[in-house]
């Protein structure tokens, strides 16, 4: 070992247990989001109540987008029925359905041929939290 000045000093930080807490928080959040989707898909098997809605939402030309159900809880869940009304194949990118407050989007069938339908689930943060 030679005692001389170094050109570079490298300081390594100790690993903290904060990552574990963040991972646990993420897992809890993911479970809550998954539960909202399951409630929207099959409302009779849960203690949460999905409210039926039948409202057309203008989205894109040649697409029928209908809000069919909502559920309130830790998050707000929305279920849509999307139908390709065009004569061409429709490819849906989930990122196109994001808007402020959205935490998750799930498209059951991202590729729709003419006349085909797909369920779409959108989970939003509650504004009061």
């Amino acid at each position: 070992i030679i005692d001389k000045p170094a050109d570079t000093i490298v300081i390594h930080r100790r690993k903290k247990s904060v990552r574990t807490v963040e991972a646990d928080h993420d897992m809890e959040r993911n479970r809550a989001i998954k539960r909202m989707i399951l409630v929207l898909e099959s409302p009779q098997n849960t203690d949460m109540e999905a409210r039926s809605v039948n409202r057309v939402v203008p989205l894109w030309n040649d697409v029928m987008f209908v809000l069919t159900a909502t559920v309130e809880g830790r998050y707000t869940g929305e279920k849509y029925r999307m139908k390709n009304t065009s004569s061409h194949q429709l490819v849906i990118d989930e990122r196109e359905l994001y808007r402020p407050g959205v935490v998750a989007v799930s498209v059951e069938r991202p590729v729709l041929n003419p006349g085909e339908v797909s369920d779409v689930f959108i989970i939003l943060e509650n504004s009061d939290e």
Side-chain angles (χ1 to χ4, degrees):
I1 298 178
I2 301 173
D3 186 20
K4 68 177 186 172
D7 292 336
T8 304
I9 298 175
V10 178
I11 300 173
H12 296 280
R13 293 185 182 188
R14 289 184 177 165
K15 292 184 179 182
K16 297 180 182 179
S17 62
V18 174
R19 283 203 162 283
T20 304
V21 172
E22 290 173 2
D24 289 345
H25 178 71
D26 259 0
M27 292 301 292
E28 179 185 327
R29 177 180 174 268
N30 291 344
R31 278 193 294 271
I33 290 168
K34 182 178 178 181
R35 184 163 188 253
M36 293 296 289
I37 292 173
L38 292 174
V39 168
L40 287 165
E41 181 129 70
S42 181
Q44 66 273 12
N45 297 330
T46 181
D47 58 340
M48 297 176 75
E49 184 178 333
R51 186 172 56 96
S52 292
V53 181
N54 192 19
R55 186 177 70 219
V56 175
V57 177
L59 185 62
W60 302 303
N61 291 335
D62 298 325
V63 173
M64 176 69 76
F65 201 62
V66 180
L67 177 63
T68 60
T70 62
V71 66
E72 297 291 329
R74 179 173 172 196
Y75 297 97
T76 299
E78 299 174 341
K79 179 180 179 181
Y80 296 87
R81 192 81 168 158
M82 179 185 291
K83 181 176 182 180
N84 179 1
T85 59
S86 76
S87 59
H88 304 288
Q89 188 178 65
L90 174 67
V91 179
I92 302 120
D93 183 348
E94 292 173 336
R95 294 175 294 185
E96 296 174 310
L97 300 170
Y98 274 88
R99 61 185 190 264
V102 171
V103 294
V105 174
S106 176
V107 177
E108 191 174 65
R109 297 181 61 208
V111 178
L112 297 177
N113 290 316
E116 290 184 333
V117 296
S118 174
D119 286 333
V120 176
F121 303 92
I122 299 178
I123 309 300
L124 302 114
E125 290 180 312
N126 284 330
S127 58
D128 59 340
E129 291 184 8

